[in-house]
């Protein structure tokens, strides 16, 4: 029996559902998601192994040119590099929201060896009436690739997407063990889960100025003991994260801890500090330290 293994770069404008799809495909929450654009900052690999193939998905940051800071430039570079190394590019769109932000990405998708277009959110109430007219619009705007409508949220038609993607994987042995689900270590995943709670519980500005560093990560029997620091861009943001009487911070810590327990399958003790580190997102040394360049 022949075995196929290859890399699929998942690209698209911010917020189309790339990370939600990755988690759905892998069956675990390895990539954080939120309603806010540019939640993802790293290229995160998610691995799915079947009897006959190994899919190595690369989740990428939402591509956008609106902000021009060092962080955003680094994120865009990561998208292009991921497409460069992939066997297949999955260009993800969302139902009913085809626009300039999607068109900007098309030239990058076209550079791939093979491109497949996924149209996400077919579970949304509008999708029922518009799917049949939306798909021809997609085909006219982006001619060539196969188009597969899916719902990352419900999993609808995701099997069909896998079948189409499998045809682009080269014949070669698996690169990862069959039970690996990501190339990221638990330290990274823990920091990301804290960052997810910041994106989900805070308003529109503060989460973008935050980064999370793990100070200590110890496995003691059935317990993981994790100490981390949230670095904020401005002094005022510290109080916002804490919330009145520290209530918001308590929610952030307890929800992050619960998700870590599910992901790691163990008890977690989580201790979180907040420190001010102004200008980190425009400082190349800080970006390097947090693995962002
Ligand atoms: N209704 C519906 N919502 C979805 C679906 N997929 C994702 N979403 C929602 O869309 C929002 C963005 O999802 P993400 O997976 O974080 O999007 P992303 O493309 O990774 O975003 P960035 O990392 O910011 O580029 C979240 O609120 C998801 O719950 C879907 O199939 N249907
Ligand atoms: Mg994402």
């Amino acid at each position: 029996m022949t075995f196929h293994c290859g890399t699929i770069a998942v690209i698209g404008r911010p917020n189309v559902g790339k990370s939600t799809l990755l988690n759905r495909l892998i069956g675990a929450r390895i990539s954080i998601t939120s309603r806010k654009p540019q939640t993802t900052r790293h290229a995160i690999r998610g691995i799915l192994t079947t009897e006959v193939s190994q899919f190595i998905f690369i989740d990428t940051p939402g591509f956008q040119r609106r902000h021009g800071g060092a962080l955003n430039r680094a994120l865009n570079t990561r998208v292009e590099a991921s497409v460069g190394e992939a066997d297949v590019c999955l260009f993800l769109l969302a139902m009913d929201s085809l626009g300039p932000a999607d068109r900007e990405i098309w030239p990058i998708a076209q550079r791939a060896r093979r491109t497949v277009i996924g149209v996400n959110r077919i579970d949304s109430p509008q999708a029922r009436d518009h799917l049949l007219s939306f798909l021809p619009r997609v085909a006219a705007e982006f001619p060539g690739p196969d188009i597969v409508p899916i719902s990352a949220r419900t999993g609808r038609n995701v099997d069909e997407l896998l079948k189409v993607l499998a045809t682009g994987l080269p014949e070669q042995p698996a690169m990862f063990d069959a039970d690996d689900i990501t190339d990221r270590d638990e330290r990274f995943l823990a920091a990301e889960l804290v960052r997810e709670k910041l994106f989900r519980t805070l308003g529109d500005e503060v989460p973008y100025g935050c980064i999370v560093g793990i100070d200590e990560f110890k496995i003691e029997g059935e317990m993981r003991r994790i100490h981390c620091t949230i670095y904020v861009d401005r002094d005022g943001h510290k109080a916002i994260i804490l919330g009145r009487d520290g209530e918001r911070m308590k929610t952030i810590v307890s929800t992050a801890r619960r998700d870590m327990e599910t992901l790691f399958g163990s008890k977690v003790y989580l201790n979180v500090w907040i420190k001010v580190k102004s200008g980190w997102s425009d400082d190349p040394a800080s970006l390097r330290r947090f693995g962002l360049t």
Side-chain angles (χ1 to χ4, degrees), residues 14-26:
N15 225 18
V16 283
K18 299 178 293 298
S19 303
T20 307
L21 177 63
L22 186 87
N23 293 338
R24 163 68 58 187
L25 290 162
I26 302 310

Side-chain angles (χ1 to χ4, degrees), residues 18-19 32 39-40 59-60:
K18 299 178 293 298
S19 303
I32 66 169
T39 305
T40 304
D59 185 14
T60 63

